[in-house]
Amino acid sequence: MSTVTAEVGRKGDLLRVSLRIDGWGTAAFGVLMLVAGPWLPGPLGLPASWFVPIGIAMLGGAIALGLISGCPVIPARYARVAVAANAALGVALLPVAFAGVLPLTALGVGVVVLGAAWVLTFAALEYTGIRRATA
């Protein structure tokens, strides 16, 4: 099994820190979806039935990111999965924001675009972290 040396104070710091911040941000978003979901369909234009599944999925992703970042030596394949998942989600969110497939409000479009920017930024940071740690 290939690993990425990502121990504190080493070349893998960017990867570990990126995974942790991504995990905490994902958890916060998941909690927001679960707690504020009843009040968000009107302002965002998302169907009310989406908030609980999105919140649960985000909390699951946050747990996975936390577990990966907590490994003493981060397995490269897990880090690559985090990069791929972030990149795929970011690419998928952009058409949702602009294609009119959902009745999003202007605020809803902004939230979806912000979500895409978040995951694409972390895909890039984590990818760079993997490259630095394996260099």
Side-chain angles (χ1 to χ4, degrees), residues 2-101:
S2 153
T3 58
V4 176
T5 303
E7 298 173 27
V8 175
R10 315 258 334 235
K11 292 189 287 185
D13 280 351
L14 176 62
L15 176 59
R16 186 174 306 281
V17 170
S18 297
L19 288 166
R20 281 192 180 143
I21 295 170
D22 189 8
W24 282 108
T26 301
F29 182 72
V31 168
L32 176 69
M33 293 292 101
L34 291 171
V35 173
W39 299 283
L40 293 175
L44 299 182
L46 281 171
S49 62
W50 286 31
F51 288 93
V52 170
I54 290 171
I56 291 170
M58 294 298 98
L59 289 177
I63 290 168
L65 290 165
L67 290 171
I68 294 167
S69 70
C71 291
V73 177
I74 297 173
R77 70 175 179 226
Y78 296 164
R80 287 187 195 106
V81 167
V83 170
N86 276 335
L89 181 57
V91 169
L93 284 174
L94 290 174
V96 169
F98 299 111
V101 294

